[in-house]
Amino acid sequence: MSLNDTSRANRIHIGIFGLKAYDLIIHCGACIFNRRLVMSRIAAACRAGVLMINYGIFLAKMNGILDRITLQKRVEKT
């Protein structure tokens, strides 16, 4: 990810403090971003050793909704 891929305010903040200054990144669903930008942000967080979570998942966990969700088991195609 290059500095040109981020907003000016984020460039200044991340440029001064770096991602390693954070313990957790709470990221939006990225509905207006392309896959390349999102994957580059995930890669940058991984390189910095910073955990990253989706905003919707975070809110569901904080409100006790996530614990009540039952995931469907994956069915193998034969």
Side-chain angles (χ1 to χ4, degrees):
M1 176 169 78
S2 72
L3 288 178
N4 293 329
D5 294 334
T6 59
S7 70
R8 189 176 191 302
N10 287 340
R11 274 197 311 255
I12 292 169
H13 188 72
I14 292 171
I16 294 171
F17 299 106
L19 287 178
K20 290 184 179 184
Y22 300 95
D23 295 324
L24 176 67
I25 296 170
I26 302 172
H27 201 283
C28 67
C31 61
I32 63 169
F33 301 138
N34 63 30
R35 185 180 194 289
R36 183 177 171 194
L37 177 62
V38 173
M39 295 306 289
S40 69
R41 288 183 175 187
I42 292 170
C46 287
R47 282 192 306 272
V50 181
L51 298 174
M52 188 171 186
I53 190 169
N54 174 277
Y55 181 69
I57 300 294
F58 174 78
L59 288 178
K61 179 66 177 172
M62 293 295 103
N63 287 301
I65 298 168
L66 193 59
D67 299 327
R68 298 183 304 204
I69 294 174
T70 307
L71 297 177
Q72 212 175 21
K73 291 190 179 190
R74 187 178 201 151
V75 177
E76 299 280 333
K77 291 184 180 181
T78 56

